[in-house]
Amino acid sequence: MASREVVVVGGGITKFAAERVDASVRDLVTEAVLLAVDDAGVDLQTVEHGLTSYESDHFNRQMTLGAILHDHIGMVPKPNVRVEGGGATGALALRTAFAYVKSGLCDSIIVYGGETNGRSVTSATAQQFFSLSSDADWEMMVGGTYTAYYAAMMREHMRLYGTTERQFAHVAVKNRRNAQFNPVAQKPMDLTVDDVLNSIPIAEPYKLLDCSLLSDGAAAVILATEDWAARHSTRWNERPAITFAATGCGTDTMRLGDRPFPYPGLAHFRGKREAARQAYKMAGIKNPRTEIDVAELYDSYSGVELQACEELGFCEYGKAGSLAEDGVFDLGGDLPVNTSGGLLGRGAPVGATGIAQAIEIMLQLRGQADPRRQVANARRGLTDTHAGTGTHCVVNIFERRD
Amino acid sequence: MATVTGKLKHLPAPDPLGPNPDPWADFREIEVLGLEWTQHYKHSLGKYSRFFLELENRRFFATRCPKCQKVWTPPRPVCPDDLTITGWVELSGRGQVVSFSVLHYAPAMLSFLKTPYVLAYVKMEGADTLFAHLLQNFGDLSQIRHGMPVRVVYNNGPVDHPIMLMAFEPADS
Ligand SMILES: [Zn+2]
């Protein structure tokens, strides 16, 4: 299979915002696609396959949005497929596109996704929609929301490992600080740990500033074989080649309470560990802490980034909090995490989130990120994306080859 | 003059990334609508049904797998560990809190909940999994802890969903 490497030809991302009042979801996706086509240096007419990435029909009161988007960007009558995997939708979309290219089903594919989670409905209704993506008979009707589930997970992590609110507040500060250097980010902020600790409680132990954003936005990426890219991209020789080196996927029970003790119990993301194991094997990674240069992790809540660092093998269980305090995951640290600002700072229009993470890695590996957030000599980057409370997890790995 | 019901606003929108040149300059006049939609679902509880029907009798049921003996609550008609059809078994309704969260905001459908409210994950006596539900009458929030004994309490409704015929309360150990 080595002869059929998958490359990232280019990507585009819109400005993320709490309310992109100037655009419907179809406008947002079209905007991202035009940016991706420009970045890739390709004529979209030559791209062979489409892939629509979006989670929810609820936010836009529109089913089969894929048909509209594919049509809107001039891809008909070429093939299309829609991928949905909850919060992991964008990463699962890229993983699916990887398989399509790797298998020879097509030589080139455009993955596009977007969502209007920010403005379509009130925040309470948005929480309700997301709660519908937990077990609606057994968890949602008893007062369950995702913030509640994650809070219970974090409380257990604190009990088992002594992780502190101050430690995960560091993540909230770091990611919003990084967002200040990303022009598409929704919520750049210059905060202190005390600002986070003193923000209003939402679902204890999580406070307002520990929580990620509801966003409007879109993103798109073009994947292809290297041969296709060399023939169809006018910009292919301008920049180092970025390969889509590996992908992994893991799952867990829908309800937190059904998971076996002691592992994963309530404190761990077993699906992430499994996704990472597969991806590391495919990429030949033995020690992720030293072999990965930059990572975009799914910081739906600040504490989740710490839990993810541990499941991805960046450190032992219970150690991520003190490493975060030591600045290991900061810009300039050993292993910068969420240089884009993450879900906390850049934002998270669900169908676009995993694609946006991949675009940040692409920019970092090309050396094209804003100099204030560029990681020096980044050669391998990872994205970690999950749905639910880790019910569906995807890890994708990208490499610079030159 | 035309009348549009549900029109929320009509505004000129700026280029979010500014400054110009704005490639979308011709498309910056925006109309935003408010749309309403409610619907009724005929929602079957299927093979879970006995659990909910027994709540009306103030009894708490789980399912046990005849092959591996694992007791599932919430119940599962099939044990996913070995794909074996389970059977009903009654539990005492007592248990211990494993973890919990204290919520200061309720989602739209549960706006009747008084905040702060507590969602607790409870290890039921005789069960192998955790059951999540509201913890009521918790008194002082700072007293809620891992290992705290709780019991199922029942009410006569009316409720929107039969799962709300029960909740947890602190119990004597
Ligand atoms: Zn069994």
Side-chain angles (χ1 to χ4, degrees), chain B residues 65 68 79 81-82:
Chain B
C65 172
C68 71
C79 174
D81 289 359
D82 45 33

Side-chain angles (χ1 to χ4, degrees), chain A residues 64-81:
Chain A
T64 63
L65 187 59
I68 292 179
L69 299 174
H70 196 67
D71 167 355
H72 249 62
I73 61 172
M75 283 294 285
V76 289
K78 290 179 282 188
N80 189 33
V81 59

